[in-house]
Amino acid sequence: MVKKKKISASDIITFYMDYVVEHECKPDSVEDFAELHQFDDVIFYNHFASFKELEKTIYNVLFENSLVVLKQTPEYLSFSNKDKLLSLYYTFFENLALNQDYIKLSLKGFENQLKALSVFSMLRNSFIGYIDELNLETFNLNVDSIENIQKRTIKESAWIQLLFTIKFWLDDNSEAFEKTDIFIEKSINTSMELLDTKSLHNIIDFAKFLYKEKVK
């Protein structure tokens, strides 16, 4: 068998995702996987230490690609922080939807344990880095230690919110994930209002939506 010479990390990601979808399981070994796709396994190890690292990279690539697309939008710089975050969510979840067969197989059985999944570690770092970049305002208490705690709390809360949204998306059977779009809008509106405490309207609205979807 003639083995392919030029294999990129992106090629390996595509091969892996297609394999998982087709076989509904992970490859038995890197060696078998490389042999199947006609390249030397050393090429795999040049890019990834293991299948686990490859899986972590896949989620991070989906996020980073979403961010690249978003930042190429001419209007992006003029967006408010809320609109930047909303746009990122919509773009990221569109990417998840495009790859939903792989994502749902990858996370099957772990839907209620997303917070503990190590496969999200690279995604978490990138997402929290983005939240840092937004520099969301905290309450001005003029106490550095408290404000530092607030900033850490905002980042961790934002991460948990993303995980909660992924869980909602996994359970969403509506056409074109319409309910997830509603969930994103209401949850982001609510979290932003919790930062500036202007009103409780969106918080109540979001609570009603969750009650309707989960306790009907």
Side-chain angles (χ1 to χ4, degrees):
M1 181 182 295
V2 178
K3 295 193 175 182
K4 300 172 184 176
K5 299 295 183 182
K6 295 182 179 180
I7 298 293
S8 66
S10 179
D11 290 329
I12 294 173
I13 287 173
T14 299
F15 293 155
Y16 184 82
M17 293 175 73
D18 288 346
Y19 183 99
V20 170
V21 171
E22 181 180 352
H23 297 86
E24 298 188 1
C25 65
K26 302 174 184 179
D28 291 331
S29 69
V30 171
E31 292 76 12
D32 291 343
F33 174 70
E35 184 69 24
L36 176 65
H37 293 94
Q38 302 177 25
F39 65 90
D40 291 321
D41 56 4
V42 68
I43 297 176
F44 180 96
Y45 290 115
N46 284 340
H47 295 291
F48 308 103
S50 63
F51 285 141
K52 178 63 72 175
E53 184 182 353
L54 171 56
E55 292 167 353
K56 293 178 182 180
T57 303
I58 288 171
Y59 286 99
N60 193 51
V61 165
L62 290 172
F63 178 80
E64 292 291 348
N65 287 348
S66 302
L67 201 52
V68 168
V69 169
L70 182 61
K71 289 186 174 181
Q72 288 175 343
T73 305
E75 301 84 7
Y76 174 76
L77 290 177
S78 65
F79 286 175
S80 66
N81 280 337
K82 183 180 79 171
D83 287 338
K84 286 179 179 177
L85 197 53
L86 276 172
S87 298
L88 176 60
Y89 262 74
Y90 289 139
T91 306
F92 178 57
F93 279 88
E94 282 177 11
N95 273 339
L96 293 189
L98 289 173
N99 296 280
Q100 61 179 294
D101 291 339
Y102 170 79
I103 302 296
K104 292 191 174 186
L105 283 167
S106 170
L107 299 180
K108 188 175 182 180
F110 294 97
E111 295 90 340
N112 296 316
Q113 305 171 49
L114 295 184
K115 187 177 179 181
L117 282 186
S118 62
V119 75
F120 286 147
S121 60
M122 292 175 66
L123 169 62
R124 180 183 182 278
N125 289 338
S126 294
F127 180 74
I128 287 182
Y130 178 74
I131 296 299
D132 252 340
E133 186 180 307
L134 288 182
N135 195 28
L136 299 174
E137 292 183 5
T138 58
F139 301 117
N140 185 10
L141 301 176
N142 294 318
V143 180
D144 289 342
S145 59
I146 294 178
E147 290 184 0
N148 287 335
I149 292 172
Q150 282 185 307
K151 289 177 180 178
R152 288 199 299 272
T153 300
I154 286 173
K155 288 186 285 189
E156 289 302 323
S157 298
W159 171 240
I160 292 171
Q161 182 178 26
L162 179 62
L163 290 178
F164 194 27
T165 310
I166 293 174
K167 173 63 171 68
F168 190 95
W169 176 82
L170 288 169
D171 295 336
D172 186 1
N173 294 316
S174 63
E175 185 176 354
F177 298 103
E178 292 174 351
K179 289 183 178 179
T180 296
D181 287 343
I182 297 172
F183 181 91
I184 289 170
E185 180 181 5
K186 292 181 181 297
S187 64
I188 296 298
N189 282 341
T190 299
S191 61
M192 289 299 179
E193 288 206 358
L194 283 172
L195 287 179
D196 60 28
T197 62
K198 286 182 179 178
S199 75
L200 293 177
H201 174 76
N202 280 353
I203 299 173
I204 294 172
D205 191 34
F206 183 42
K208 288 179 179 178
F209 174 76
L210 284 179
Y211 180 83
K212 180 181 177 182
E213 291 303 316
K214 297 300 182 184
V215 196
K216 58 185 176 182

